[in-house]
Amino acid sequence: MIYELRQYECLPGKLAAVVERFRREVAPLWKEMEIQCLGFWTTAVGPNDQTLHYILAWRSLADRDARWQTFVQDPRWQAAKANTELAGPLVARISNILMRPANVMEIAEPAKQIFCAPDR
């Protein structure tokens, strides 16, 4: 398995809109596309409390590349992104890290269903 940590540094005051976009628009697409999301987090203590973090689980790098391209090219995602950014962008910066498990302890199995219910 490959795990991807993605972080969205939101523009001031836009975190709630980004969370809502994931909840309403992205989660249903990911479920349909069988993209496994392990969870979403917001920053409780740290340098930027306007950051959304989430982790995706992939079978391989090839699986990640194929599924992610399908997602970003999907017209429904493109329309949702455009519609939610009519008043301007929501995110200042996106970063991602692809990780593989270190042999320290057993990694929990990914969820069978996508969990996309971050705090409001």
Side-chain angles (χ1 to χ4, degrees):
M1 293 293 291
I2 300 292
Y3 298 89
E4 182 172 6
L5 170 63
R6 295 183 64 87
Q7 298 176 306
Y8 288 61
E9 293 180 35
C10 301
L11 291 166
K14 302 294 184 179
L15 177 62
V18 172
V19 168
E20 197 60 25
R21 180 167 69 188
F22 274 96
R23 182 189 322 280
R24 291 179 190 261
E25 308 291 345
V26 175
L29 288 175
W30 283 359
K31 186 173 185 178
E32 178 184 314
M33 296 174 181
E34 298 182 359
I35 293 176
Q36 288 189 312
C37 180
L38 302 184
F40 285 85
W41 298 265
T42 56
T43 303
V45 176
N48 184 349
D49 67 355
Q50 293 294 297
T51 301
L52 180 67
H53 316 265
Y54 64 92
I55 298 177
L56 302 172
W58 307 102
R59 291 182 195 107
S60 66
L61 288 175
D63 176 52
R64 186 252 181 219
D65 292 345
R67 289 181 195 275
W68 194 254
Q69 282 306 308
T70 298
F71 167 66
V72 298
Q73 293 174 356
D74 191 289
R76 295 168 295 174
W77 159 242
Q78 293 174 357
K81 184 176 187 306
N83 289 337
T84 57
E85 294 185 347
L86 290 173
L90 303 177
V91 177
R93 186 174 15 267
I94 299 172
S95 63
N96 71 315
I97 300 170
L98 297 174
M99 308 173 292
R100 62 180 163 258
N103 191 16
V104 176
M105 59 186 289
E106 181 118 1
I107 302 293
E109 287 293 317
K112 300 291 183 207
Q113 297 181 7
I114 296 172
F115 174 76
C116 290
D119 291 341
R120 289 188 188 261

